[in-house]
Amino acid sequence: MRKTWKLAVLAITLAASALAGAQQIKARFGTSLPESHPQTLGARKFAELVEARSQGRIKVAVYSAGQLGSDMQMQAALQGGTQEFTAPSTATLAGLVKDFGVIGLPFSFASEQEADAVLDGPFGQKLLAKLPARGLVGLAFWENGFRNVTNSKRPIVHAEDIAGLKVRTMQNNLYIDMFGGLGANAVPMPVTELFTALESRAVDAQENPYTVVHAQKFYDVQKYLSTTGHAYDALTLLVSKKFWDKLSAADRQAIQDAAAEATAYERRTSRELNAQLRGELTRLGMQINDVSLQERARMREKLQPVIAKYTAGIGEDTVHDFFAAIDQARKR
Ligand code: EAX
């Protein structure tokens, strides 16, 4: 009797796992940055949480460092439904939905906490709501962080020191004009090509948070890091709408819950690393200098025409709402 009971349990277990196997959903998450960067660490945490929360129904395989293509290529793959997840900079996403460009307006956020409040609040939700029309679903904002200029020529002490440098920028018109506005020669390219461009001296400079400088080993090819902090950069956790639309309500909920938890982890990791990496980059041979508040204000002043141009381009209303949301966060 007991034996029969055991066999029945075994049969049910096998049937259930066969069913789960049949229903298993496979997804690919591509990042442009290496394993040690919070973008990929966040993707790995997200994959683990999605699998746990879906009781193993959904398996997310992570491909780091541009193995599936550049940010722009991966966004297109999500739109086409040939890739499921990615988390690009809002600056590259702005090529598809111009409103996302607002995040990169120079010298807007004063702290990560302000960015969290704006991005997690109604303003950020409104931005995400614009994605489904372009074949994408936005789950959350992750952190890339405050961007600093590195270069092989000289420390940037004054705003004028940027002039004449060949600076790689992201593939985003605002960033191209921002560095053009400071007198640099802006050269847009995907981050996946950047190390080689710096090493071969095709460009003199680039701008990215400490975490990217470290993960991409730019310390091997760039001597100077100057804390311009000219823009805060967020990443958008994206899922292909074609994939999303096929999921059950329970699977979507599992993914959303995993996204919320992975977001807290990604931001915490980014902040912890940024706090440690300044010392680490110095140890690795970089010469780091702080750019004064006064010089940063002068840079912002020089960029007024660029800010005005992109305010018109992105839309007065969006830009107004953006700064109102920052003001509100600041008053908290
Ligand atoms: O998507 O391109 C860049 O410099 C970005 O910081 C990075 O790829 C994040």
Side-chain angles (χ1 to χ4, degrees):
M1 188 65 200
R2 229 194 207 166
K3 206 170 173 190
T4 329
W5 187 77
K6 269 191 184 163
L7 277 174
V9 171
L10 183 69
I12 290 167
T13 314
L14 284 175
S17 58
L19 199 65
Q23 287 178 338
Q24 197 167 76
I25 298 167
K26 284 197 160 73
R28 300 196 298 171
F29 193 138
T31 67
S32 55
L33 295 167
E35 290 292 331
S36 62
H37 187 275
Q39 186 191 53
T40 306
L41 296 170
R44 293 217 174 271
K45 172 64 87 183
F46 174 73
E48 193 185 298
L49 291 166
V50 167
E51 187 170 342
R53 287 174 179 273
S54 67
Q55 280 85 40
R57 276 196 310 279
I58 310 173
K59 283 226 187 305
V60 181
V62 177
Y63 297 84
S64 64
Q67 290 173 69
L68 300 184
S70 69
D71 279 346
M72 307 280 271
Q73 289 165 335
M74 291 193 284
Q75 284 166 198
L78 261 65
Q79 289 181 300
T82 56
Q83 182 185 325
E84 290 72 30
F85 296 98
T86 191
S89 163
T90 48
T92 51
L93 192 51
L96 295 177
V97 180
K98 65 178 172 26
D99 307 68
F100 280 79
V102 76
I103 308 301
L105 283 173
F107 303 103
S108 300
F109 290 113
S111 69
E112 286 92 353
Q113 287 66 35
E114 279 181 19
D116 288 354
V118 171
L119 295 168
D120 296 345
F123 183 82
Q125 292 310 305
K126 226 168 130 182
L127 279 185
L128 296 181
K130 293 183 190 279
L131 290 168
R134 305 307 310 271
L136 301 168
V137 174
L139 297 173
F141 289 100
W142 286 3
E143 175 165 284
N144 198 15
F146 282 100
R147 303 179 74 94
N148 295 316
V149 176
T150 70
N151 81 94
S152 57
K153 303 267 186 201
R154 54 181 173 264
I156 291 157
V157 177
H158 300 290
E160 289 72 18
D161 296 330
I162 295 176
L165 291 175
K166 259 189 166 175
V167 183
R168 173 273 177 177
T169 67
M170 289 186 279
Q171 294 162 294
N172 168 288
N173 290 332
L174 164 60
Y175 274 87
I176 295 170
D177 284 352
M178 204 190 298
F179 282 87
L182 294 170
N185 180 359
V187 185
M189 71 178 77
V191 75
T192 40
E193 293 168 20
L194 181 49
F195 184 90
T196 309
L198 292 168
E199 191 181 35
S200 67
R201 303 226 164 199
V203 293
D204 309 310
Q206 67 84 41
E207 45 82 48
N208 255 303
Y210 290 127
T211 48
V212 178
V213 175
H214 185 259
Q216 295 271 35
K217 299 188 165 52
F218 292 156
Y219 49 81
D220 278 343
V221 285
Q222 299 272 273
K223 177 77 184 163
Y224 304 101
L225 189 159
S226 308
T227 62
T228 48
H230 50 277
Y232 177 83
D233 193 25
L235 308 172
T236 312
L237 176 55
L238 296 175
V239 49
S240 161
K241 187 167 182 298
K242 282 193 173 164
F243 172 73
W244 187 251
D245 287 347
K246 284 185 285 194
L247 294 174
S248 68
D251 285 344
R252 285 187 197 171
Q253 192 58 51
I255 290 174
Q256 260 155 346
D257 292 346
E261 203 176 325
T263 298
Y265 165 84
E266 195 277 346
R267 287 178 181 170
R268 192 169 64 237
T269 305
S270 170
R271 285 158 206 182
E272 282 169 8
L273 284 175
N274 270 322
Q276 294 163 18
L277 287 177
R278 185 181 164 124
E280 180 62 10
L281 290 170
T282 307
R283 202 185 59 76
L284 289 163
M286 290 193 96
Q287 188 177 314
I288 303 183
N289 71 291
D290 280 322
V291 180
S292 70
L293 283 178
Q294 195 189 357
E295 282 304 316
R296 286 158 44 101
R298 287 188 61 236
M299 287 176 195
R300 189 174 200 280
E301 202 43 49
K302 282 180 189 290
L303 291 175
Q304 278 312 328
V306 174
I307 295 170
K309 176 179 167 187
Y310 283 87
T311 299
I314 292 164
E316 303 271 355
D317 287 353
T318 302
V319 175
H320 173 272
D321 291 352
F322 175 63
F323 284 110
I326 294 180
D327 274 349
Q328 209 180 8
R330 216 160 268 180
K331 281 190 203 124
R332 275 193 190 167

